[in-house]
Amino acid sequence: MTEEAEQTDRLQEASTSSLIGEDTENNYRIWKKNAPYVYDYLSTTSLLWPSLTVQFFPDITHSEGEVADDYILQRLLHGTFTLGQSAVDSISILQVPTYTGLNKHIQIDKLDYNQEKEEFEVNAPSLPKQKVLQKINQFGDVNKLSYMPQNPNVIASANNFGDMLIFERTKHKSFQKSIIDDIEANKPQLKLTAKAEVFAMDWNKNREGYLISGDIKGNISLYDLRDYSKSQGLSNSKSWKSSSDVNDIEWFPTHDSLFGFVEESGDMSIRDIRGDIIHKQLPSPINSIAMSPHISTIFATGDSKGLINVWDLRNLDEPVKNFTPHSKSITQLKWNPKHTQVLASSSTDCSVKLHNVSKEEPTVFQHLGHMLGVNDFDWSYADEWMIASVADDNSLHIWKPTQSVQDTI
């Protein structure tokens, strides 16, 4: 590591540490001591910069070798949020090894307690280290990342300059550690310019190349990337104007023309790109919206006071379920891809929580390992209970609740 990189690392660690209080550090130590009892899998990584966004790729690679049955390789997408402290920001694709047969190696009566680390250690096959497969540099903070469902090699990145940069991953080189890589931005395959900074963005799951975005000035834009030509750009696009900052936006997964979005003003809206729109005014700013992949009319919203509402599109007069699992603002909601009733949420209260919305007391598990607000999380395609989460303390956690917790969900 160069002297300049070491200095940047020290400054970043000092800046992060100054934001973490003594109570938070004590709670973290308690969580860490108890982690072996509440997780089937837990991996914690310290990133150089915090990330606002994380997403598992759908592909899964099975390992080859002596312990081939014990782990798999997954790819994970995240980006840097440096607030201009770095010359360029970057999109990273990580290769993440995770156990599939860890339990058969664990002997609970032979757990070794490491006094120095203050944690239990398990005698199991060693995993390869996480590694960066590819890094794509860009100008501006990475506010939001999302790959196209029909072609995961196509990645959309929204930055703080109001640009949405479209990268075709295979047209950029694999990761190499060099000074040039750290200071030169990669040229995107396509640059879409919004009217203001974008944090809300989603690909249509039924129409290839359909990308929707919402910016902090209330502008909503729809782009059809299939209509792009080098000579004329994008000739086929639509736009709408909302009342305030668009905090989140998402297509209904079973419909090619219907999307929902939520605003800082408390507005919740469902729009059909063919013309119709439904509004619902709520008392607090809404930060997240999540459409159920299982029931075509069900979706959830999370607000700035930690409240989750579950809605049925057929009757928006009142939510079908509401509860307040967080003490601070909700940052993200996502339904479990395989379990109809399971919804996860993250918050600036430093937690990610799992809920069974069919239960009277919905919250069934809480991940408390982050020391600052959690920005984003995503469910794994390889394991129905595995989650990756990123927070303002520069941490990337990949975790899975213990089997006993899964059984109660």
Side-chain angles (χ1 to χ4, degrees):
M1 181 181 287
T2 65
E3 183 178 347
E4 183 179 356
E6 290 177 347
Q7 184 178 6
T8 300
D9 203 7
R10 288 195 297 270
L11 289 172
Q12 186 66 17
E13 288 180 359
S15 176
T16 301
S17 298
S18 66
L19 298 173
I20 299 172
E22 185 177 346
D23 288 345
T24 300
E25 290 183 351
N26 289 334
N27 290 337
Y28 176 80
R29 292 189 187 99
I30 295 170
W31 168 82
K32 189 174 181 180
K33 288 179 181 179
N34 288 282
Y37 302 108
V38 292
Y39 296 92
D40 267 2
Y41 179 83
L42 174 64
S43 168
T44 62
T45 302
S46 180
L47 304 173
L48 180 61
W49 300 100
S51 178
L52 298 188
T53 179
V54 66
Q55 188 179 22
F56 275 105
F57 282 92
D59 53 280
I60 303 163
T61 302
H62 291 270
S63 58
E64 297 179 358
E66 295 181 0
V67 290
D69 294 333
D70 295 318
Y71 73 92
I72 57 173
L73 301 173
Q74 302 180 70
R75 291 189 304 146
L76 193 67
L77 180 68
H78 75 86
T80 61
F81 186 74
T82 70
L83 287 173
Q85 297 178 67
S86 177
V88 293
D89 282 75
S90 61
I91 301 163
S92 289
I93 299 174
L94 299 182
Q95 184 182 74
V96 179
T98 55
Y99 285 110
T100 57
L102 179 60
N103 287 347
K104 67 183 181 183
H105 299 282
I106 296 178
Q107 293 177 288
I108 197 68
D109 57 337
K110 293 186 179 181
L111 289 176
D112 295 320
Y113 186 72
N114 186 313
Q115 293 283 357
E116 184 178 345
K117 294 182 180 179
E118 295 186 322
E119 62 184 27
F120 289 96
E121 295 179 337
V122 176
N123 182 20
S126 297
L127 281 175
K129 291 183 179 180
Q130 292 182 12
K131 66 178 181 180
V132 180
L133 296 177
Q134 190 169 23
K135 186 173 75 170
I136 301 173
N137 289 339
Q138 69 169 50
F139 287 119
D141 294 325
V142 181
N143 290 350
K144 181 74 173 179
L145 285 173
S146 183
Y147 59 77
M148 185 192 297
Q150 297 84 359
N151 181 2
N153 287 327
V154 177
I155 299 169
S157 174
N159 69 12
N160 61 312
F161 296 123
D163 300 323
M164 285 188 296
L165 309 174
I166 311 298
F167 295 97
E168 215 293 352
R169 185 192 67 78
T170 60
K171 295 185 179 180
H172 299 271
K173 62 184 177 181
S174 298
F175 179 69
Q176 293 179 357
K177 284 188 176 180
S178 70
I179 296 176
I180 295 177
D181 283 336
D182 290 336
I183 63 174
E184 290 188 354
N186 295 70
K187 184 178 180 181
Q189 275 55 63
L190 182 59
K191 181 178 177 181
L192 308 174
T193 302
K195 295 181 180 180
E197 193 170 0
V198 171
F199 288 93
M201 177 177 68
D202 193 36
W203 292 98
N204 192 301
K205 298 167 184 62
N206 298 284
R207 290 191 184 186
E208 184 175 348
Y210 259 42
L211 181 66
I212 194 86
S213 71
D215 67 29
I216 62 171
K217 298 294 185 182
N219 301 294
I220 296 172
S221 301
L222 170 64
Y223 306 94
D224 183 359
L225 271 62
R226 297 169 303 174
D227 193 51
Y228 171 76
S229 69
K230 291 184 178 180
S231 59
Q232 298 180 353
L234 286 176
S235 59
N236 185 17
S237 61
K238 293 184 178 181
S239 62
W240 302 270
K241 182 70 176 178
S242 63
S243 59
S244 67
D245 305 19
V246 179
N247 289 332
D248 199 12
I249 195 166
E250 188 171 315
W251 293 98
F252 278 80
T254 57
H255 203 289
D256 64 2
S257 301
L258 207 62
F259 66 89
F261 60 97
V262 290
E263 304 176 48
E264 191 67 20
S265 62
D267 274 320
M268 174 183 75
S269 303
I270 307 298
R271 176 176 282 280
D272 191 319
I273 63 174
R274 296 166 297 188
D276 294 334
I277 187 168
I278 302 171
H279 286 294
K280 176 75 175 180
Q281 178 68 44
L282 298 176
S284 301
I286 314 173
N287 297 327
S288 183
I289 186 168
M291 310 306 182
S292 170
H294 311 284
I295 305 173
S296 61
T297 60
I298 296 296
F299 64 98
T301 57
D303 74 11
S304 62
K305 294 185 177 180
L307 172 70
I308 292 175
N309 285 312
V310 180
W311 304 89
D312 191 323
L313 185 59
R314 294 167 293 188
N315 182 3
L316 295 180
D317 291 340
E318 296 291 338
V320 296
K321 181 86 173 183
N322 62 68
F323 55 103
T324 307
H326 294 283
S327 60
K328 294 183 180 180
S329 181
I330 289 173
T331 55
Q332 183 62 275
L333 294 173
K334 288 186 180 179
W335 295 91
N336 185 291
K338 295 186 178 180
H339 297 274
T340 305
Q341 305 294 337
V342 178
L343 176 70
S345 60
S346 61
S347 169
T348 56
D349 68 6
C350 310
S351 70
V352 183
K353 298 188 178 184
L354 307 185
H355 321 281
N356 184 330
V357 298
S358 66
K359 294 188 174 184
E360 185 176 350
E361 296 295 332
T363 304
V364 291
F365 184 79
Q366 51 187 359
H367 173 66
L368 304 175
H370 295 288
M371 289 192 283
L372 290 176
V374 181
N375 295 317
D376 195 17
F377 69 88
D378 195 32
W379 294 96
S380 166
Y381 286 83
D383 190 310
E384 60 193 8
W385 295 111
M386 184 170 286
I387 283 179
S389 51
V390 289
D392 280 333
D393 60 357
N394 297 19
S395 60
L396 164 65
H397 291 181
I398 301 173
W399 49 275
K400 174 184 177 182
T402 185
Q403 184 65 48
S404 60
V405 173
Q406 297 170 36
D407 293 340
T408 63
I409 299 176

